[in-house]
Amino acid sequence: MPHRSVPHPAAPDEPAGVQPADLRPFMAAFPTGVSVVTTLDSDSVPHGLTCTSLASVALEPATLVVCIRAASPTLAVLLAEGHFALNLLHERARATSDLFASGAPDRFDRVEWRLPLGAGGPHLTADAHAVADCAVVRTVGFGDHTAVFAEVRRVTVRDDRQPLLYGLRRYAPWSAAAAAPQPAAQADPHRDLPATLRPAAPEGGTRVVR
Protein backbone atom coordinates (compact mmCIF):
# COMPACT_ATOMS: atom_id res chain seq x y z
CA MET A 1 0.00 0.00 0.00
CA PRO A 2 1.56 3.33 -0.97
CA HIS A 3 2.48 5.70 1.83
CA ARG A 4 0.33 8.81 2.12
CA SER A 5 1.25 11.98 3.92
CA VAL A 6 -1.43 13.01 6.37
CA PRO A 7 -1.53 16.77 6.89
CA HIS A 8 -1.43 17.98 10.47
CA PRO A 9 -4.41 20.01 11.65
CA ALA A 10 -3.85 23.71 11.40
CA ALA A 11 -2.74 25.35 14.63
CA PRO A 12 -5.23 27.81 16.12
CA ASP A 13 -4.45 31.45 15.58
CA GLU A 14 -2.17 32.79 18.30
CA PRO A 15 -3.46 35.69 20.38
CA ALA A 16 -2.15 39.08 19.37
CA GLY A 17 1.03 40.07 21.16
CA VAL A 18 2.36 36.53 21.71
CA GLN A 19 6.12 36.43 21.11
CA PRO A 20 8.26 33.44 20.03
CA ALA A 21 9.42 31.32 22.95
CA ASP A 22 12.66 32.46 24.60
CA LEU A 23 14.46 29.34 25.79
CA ARG A 24 17.00 31.21 27.92
CA PRO A 25 14.94 31.73 31.11
CA PHE A 26 13.75 28.13 30.92
CA MET A 27 17.27 26.73 30.68
CA ALA A 28 18.49 29.16 33.34
CA ALA A 29 16.15 27.32 35.70
CA PHE A 30 18.06 24.09 35.04
CA PRO A 31 21.37 24.34 37.00
CA THR A 32 24.35 22.57 35.47
CA GLY A 33 28.06 22.14 35.89
CA VAL A 34 30.43 24.40 33.98
CA SER A 35 32.99 23.26 31.43
CA VAL A 36 35.58 24.74 29.10
CA VAL A 37 36.05 23.15 25.68
CA THR A 38 39.66 23.40 24.48
CA THR A 39 41.43 22.41 21.26
CA LEU A 40 44.54 23.21 19.20
CA ASP A 41 44.65 24.35 15.59
CA SER A 42 47.10 23.07 12.97
CA ASP A 43 49.70 25.61 14.17
CA SER A 44 49.34 24.40 17.80
CA VAL A 45 47.55 27.61 18.83
CA PRO A 46 45.05 26.90 21.64
CA HIS A 47 41.36 27.79 21.35
CA GLY A 48 38.60 27.44 23.91
CA LEU A 49 35.23 28.54 25.20
CA THR A 50 32.95 28.11 28.19
CA CYS A 51 30.17 25.57 27.67
CA THR A 52 27.27 24.45 29.86
CA SER A 53 25.36 22.61 27.12
CA LEU A 54 26.66 19.06 27.41
CA ALA A 55 25.26 15.62 28.15
CA SER A 56 26.30 11.99 28.16
CA VAL A 57 24.94 9.97 25.24
CA ALA A 58 26.15 6.40 25.75
CA LEU A 59 28.41 4.40 28.04
CA GLU A 60 29.47 1.91 25.34
CA PRO A 61 31.08 3.38 23.42
CA ALA A 62 31.65 6.22 25.86
CA THR A 63 30.06 9.16 24.05
CA LEU A 64 28.97 12.68 24.97
CA VAL A 65 27.55 15.66 23.15
CA VAL A 66 28.36 19.36 23.47
CA CYS A 67 26.35 22.12 21.80
CA ILE A 68 28.37 25.08 20.53
CA ARG A 69 27.38 28.29 18.75
CA ALA A 70 27.73 27.69 15.03
CA ALA A 71 29.68 30.92 14.48
CA SER A 72 32.27 30.11 17.16
CA PRO A 73 35.93 30.19 15.98
CA THR A 74 36.67 27.42 18.49
CA LEU A 75 34.04 25.22 16.87
CA ALA A 76 35.65 25.74 13.45
CA VAL A 77 39.03 24.59 14.79
CA LEU A 78 37.50 21.69 16.71
CA LEU A 79 35.77 20.39 13.59
CA ALA A 80 38.87 20.85 11.43
CA GLU A 81 41.12 18.98 13.86
CA GLY A 82 38.58 16.38 15.04
CA HIS A 83 39.41 16.34 18.73
CA PHE A 84 39.10 18.42 21.90
CA ALA A 85 39.31 18.31 25.69
CA LEU A 86 36.34 18.95 27.94
CA ASN A 87 37.47 20.56 31.21
CA LEU A 88 34.93 20.44 34.06
CA LEU A 89 35.64 23.47 36.27
CA HIS A 90 35.93 23.22 40.03
CA GLU A 91 34.10 25.55 42.39
CA ARG A 92 36.98 28.04 42.69
CA ALA A 93 37.28 28.53 38.93
CA ARG A 94 34.51 31.06 38.37
CA ALA A 95 37.00 33.60 37.02
CA THR A 96 38.16 31.09 34.41
CA SER A 97 34.57 30.44 33.36
CA ASP A 98 34.04 34.18 32.86
CA LEU A 99 37.36 34.52 31.06
CA PHE A 100 36.60 31.83 28.46
CA ALA A 101 33.05 33.15 28.03
CA SER A 102 34.44 36.62 27.28
CA GLY A 103 36.36 35.61 24.16
CA ALA A 104 39.46 37.49 25.38
CA PRO A 105 42.26 36.78 22.88
CA ASP A 106 44.84 36.27 25.66
CA ARG A 107 42.78 33.86 27.73
CA PHE A 108 45.29 31.02 27.50
CA ASP A 109 48.03 33.38 28.69
CA ARG A 110 46.03 34.01 31.87
CA VAL A 111 45.47 30.40 32.95
CA GLU A 112 47.65 27.40 33.73
CA TRP A 113 47.43 24.65 31.15
CA ARG A 114 49.39 21.75 29.74
CA LEU A 115 49.07 19.27 26.90
CA PRO A 116 49.65 15.68 28.09
CA LEU A 117 50.65 13.09 25.53
CA GLY A 118 47.55 12.01 23.61
CA ALA A 119 45.36 14.84 24.94
CA GLY A 120 42.49 16.07 22.80
CA GLY A 121 43.22 19.66 23.78
CA PRO A 122 44.77 21.76 26.56
CA HIS A 123 44.09 20.60 30.13
CA LEU A 124 43.32 23.49 32.47
CA THR A 125 45.36 22.00 35.29
CA ALA A 126 44.65 24.64 37.93
CA ASP A 127 40.93 25.03 37.22
CA ALA A 128 39.50 21.63 36.23
CA HIS A 129 38.46 18.85 38.58
CA ALA A 130 37.90 16.44 35.66
CA VAL A 131 38.97 16.34 32.02
CA ALA A 132 37.71 14.17 29.16
CA ASP A 133 39.82 13.82 26.02
CA CYS A 134 37.44 13.41 23.09
CA ALA A 135 37.39 12.58 19.38
CA VAL A 136 34.61 13.95 17.17
CA VAL A 137 32.45 11.24 15.63
CA ARG A 138 29.44 13.17 14.34
CA THR A 139 27.99 16.66 14.14
CA VAL A 140 24.45 17.90 13.69
CA GLY A 141 23.72 21.51 12.87
CA PHE A 142 20.46 22.94 14.14
CA GLY A 143 19.54 26.60 14.12
CA ASP A 144 22.33 28.75 15.53
CA HIS A 145 24.17 25.86 17.24
CA THR A 146 26.00 22.68 16.30
CA ALA A 147 25.74 19.49 18.35
CA VAL A 148 29.12 17.75 18.45
CA PHE A 149 29.02 14.06 19.32
CA ALA A 150 32.36 12.79 20.55
CA GLU A 151 33.84 9.53 21.76
CA VAL A 152 35.65 9.88 25.08
CA ARG A 153 39.12 8.36 24.78
CA ARG A 154 40.42 9.15 28.29
CA VAL A 155 39.14 10.63 31.54
CA THR A 156 41.19 12.30 34.28
CA VAL A 157 39.51 13.02 37.62
CA ARG A 158 40.74 14.85 40.73
CA ASP A 159 38.97 13.76 43.89
CA ASP A 160 40.16 16.77 45.93
CA ARG A 161 38.07 19.34 44.05
CA GLN A 162 34.31 19.94 43.89
CA PRO A 163 32.27 21.11 40.84
CA LEU A 164 31.26 24.66 39.97
CA LEU A 165 27.52 25.05 39.34
CA TYR A 166 25.65 27.59 37.24
CA GLY A 167 21.93 28.35 37.17
CA LEU A 168 19.51 31.29 37.34
CA ARG A 169 22.36 33.35 35.84
CA ARG A 170 24.64 32.94 38.84
CA TYR A 171 27.31 30.58 40.15
CA ALA A 172 27.19 28.33 43.20
CA PRO A 173 29.75 25.95 44.72
CA TRP A 174 28.82 22.27 44.92
CA SER A 175 30.16 22.07 48.50
CA ALA A 176 27.53 24.61 49.64
CA ALA A 177 24.73 22.76 47.85
CA ALA A 178 25.86 19.40 49.24
CA ALA A 179 26.02 20.80 52.77
CA ALA A 180 22.29 21.59 52.83
CA PRO A 181 20.45 19.28 55.24
CA GLN A 182 18.51 16.50 53.57
CA PRO A 183 14.80 16.04 54.38
CA ALA A 184 14.13 13.37 56.98
CA ALA A 185 12.90 10.10 55.56
CA GLN A 186 9.27 9.39 56.36
CA ALA A 187 8.52 6.12 58.12
CA ASP A 188 6.47 3.65 56.11
CA PRO A 189 3.22 3.07 58.06
CA HIS A 190 2.84 -0.31 56.34
CA ARG A 191 6.37 -1.58 56.96
CA ASP A 192 5.31 -4.23 59.48
CA LEU A 193 2.72 -5.76 57.14
CA PRO A 194 3.54 -8.73 54.90
CA ALA A 195 4.42 -7.67 51.37
CA THR A 196 1.22 -9.18 50.00
CA LEU A 197 -0.90 -6.95 52.25
CA ARG A 198 0.83 -3.68 51.58
CA PRO A 199 -0.99 -1.18 49.33
CA ALA A 200 0.20 -0.99 45.75
CA ALA A 201 2.54 1.81 44.81
CA PRO A 202 1.11 4.61 42.65
CA GLU A 203 1.49 4.21 38.91
CA GLY A 204 5.06 4.92 37.94
CA GLY A 205 6.25 4.70 41.56
CA THR A 206 8.46 2.19 43.32
CA ARG A 207 7.63 0.11 46.37
CA VAL A 208 10.51 -1.29 48.36
CA VAL A 209 9.96 -4.70 49.95
CA ARG A 210 12.23 -5.23 52.95
Side-chain angles (χ1 to χ4, degrees), residues 84 108 165 186 202:
F84 63 95
F108 280 94
L165 304 179
Q186 295 183 350

Side-chain angles (χ1 to χ4, degrees), residues 36-40 45-49 74 87 99-100 104-114 121-124:
V36 171
V37 173
T38 58
T39 189
L40 293 174
V45 176
H47 298 258
L49 53 78
T74 296
N87 296 264
L99 174 64
F100 278 81
D106 63 342
R107 51 195 180 274
F108 280 94
D109 296 329
R110 296 161 58 182
V111 296
E112 178 184 314
W113 63 276
R114 64 186 182 90
H123 288 201
L124 303 184

Side-chain angles (χ1 to χ4, degrees), residues 111-191:
V111 296
E112 178 184 314
W113 63 276
R114 64 186 182 90
L115 191 68
L117 184 64
H123 288 201
L124 303 184
T125 49
D127 298 298
H129 70 91
V131 182
D133 292 301
C134 306
V136 177
V137 294
R138 184 179 180 186
T139 62
V140 178
F142 195 94
D144 57 1
H145 276 64
T146 297
V148 179
F149 293 83
E151 184 174 337
V152 178
R153 300 292 174 81
R154 180 175 63 187
V155 170
T156 306
V157 178
R158 295 183 57 178
D159 295 329
D160 60 335
R161 300 288 176 90
Q162 301 297 316
L164 177 67
L165 304 179
Y166 185 77
L168 298 178
R169 299 184 175 86
R170 61 179 181 266
Y171 294 98
W174 170 258
S175 58
Q182 299 299 310
Q186 295 183 350
D188 181 1
H190 307 289
R191 62 184 177 184

